Amino acid sequence: MYLLAVFEAQSRKRSGVAGACPIPVSGGEISWKDLIVSEAKQNMQAKAPVTATQNRIRQVKSAIKRLADENLVLRNVGEPGNTFPLMLLHESGLAESEKRGYLIPEYYEGARTVVTLPVQFFTNGWVYVLKDSEIRMYLILRHLAARFSESHALHGVYLSERDREWLYGISRDVYEAHLALARFGLIQLVPNPLRHRDGKVVEFDNFLKKGGVIPPHRFWVVGDSPFFESPLGKVRRALLNHPPSRDQMRRRNG
């Protein structure tokens, strides 16, 4: 929801404060109900029957409320009777007394403050296909590749445990999303003679006994070209070729 709102703002304006989003939650030619892809089922057996459309609208409103709770948007902006569902605020989620409108990034802003994505990430549907964890990990790797462009070109970039926890605030499970990103062709794992193809260290026990330092995974971000086509074929092939293990299914069902 947040990425789509940012995309809408940057598509509508080229500079300055984004202002209120004119897209309604429902109704009209285009609405958030149509832009959000999520599982919404009908429940006609309830005391008050609920259709799938009503459930989708509830999900959209819930997402907007969550973003408002995080100080990332304002809800119901505008005059009474002519309100807009949301207005983006500054990305940092500033406190109530310091709220500022979302400012469209300028072309000259550097890699430390801006993470770029091609338009096709949205228009070809990648934003709907990738899981939240996969999107987060991919944005982090794009950020690192832009910040350390020379190192990225020569040796790839890596994410240390300290930076993973303190700089980007992601868990080990989110970090493991790099496996799916590689299968989808969005990144490449830099070959390392000390690791097997699945990432495990060669002769791990002996390696530790010798006092070896485990080298971090290094990654190359492929670039924008994978987004120029539909993700469905790539993702389908990757999932068929790499089905979840029994342990993964157990954790998912648990």
Side-chain angles (χ1 to χ4, degrees), residues 94-177:
L94 296 169
E96 184 78 27
S97 60
E98 300 176 322
K99 284 182 179 178
R100 289 181 286 150
Y102 174 76
L103 195 65
I104 305 296
E106 296 285 357
Y107 68 92
Y108 54 77
E109 293 191 47
R112 287 188 174 274
T113 57
V114 175
V115 181
T116 62
L117 281 173
V119 170
Q120 291 83 358
F121 177 83
F122 299 92
T123 58
N124 281 338
W126 285 88
V127 65
Y128 300 115
V129 171
L130 298 179
K131 295 179 180 179
D132 291 351
S133 58
E134 292 161 0
I135 292 176
R136 291 179 69 185
M137 186 60 188
Y138 182 71
L139 291 176
I140 289 170
L141 291 177
R142 279 192 76 106
H143 187 220
L144 291 170
R147 287 180 60 198
F148 308 105
S149 56
E150 291 186 11
S151 176
H152 175 256
L154 293 173
H155 314 291
V157 291
Y158 67 93
L159 185 59
S160 67
E161 185 173 4
R162 178 186 176 89
D163 285 349
R164 173 176 66 78
E165 294 178 348
W166 292 93
L167 184 59
Y168 293 106
I170 64 170
S171 66
R172 182 75 188 180
D173 287 341
V174 174
Y175 176 81
E176 290 298 323

Side-chain angles (χ1 to χ4, degrees), residues 3-4 117-132 134-135 138 180-187 223-238:
L3 283 177
L4 287 168
L117 281 173
V119 170
Q120 291 83 358
F121 177 83
F122 299 92
T123 58
N124 281 338
W126 285 88
V127 65
Y128 300 115
V129 171
L130 298 179
K131 295 179 180 179
D132 291 351
E134 292 161 0
I135 292 176
Y138 182 71
L181 296 175
R183 291 164 187 162
F184 299 158
L186 301 181
I187 66 172
D224 294 347
S225 59
F227 298 117
F228 297 165
E229 57 184 279
S230 169
L232 298 181
K234 286 186 176 182
V235 171
R236 185 175 185 275
R237 286 192 298 272

Side-chain angles (χ1 to χ4, degrees), residues 65-73 89-94:
K65 181 182 182 302
R66 173 64 189 274
L67 292 175
D69 291 343
E70 300 293 338
N71 290 328
L72 292 172
V73 305
L89 296 175
H90 192 274
E91 302 99 311
S92 59
L94 296 169

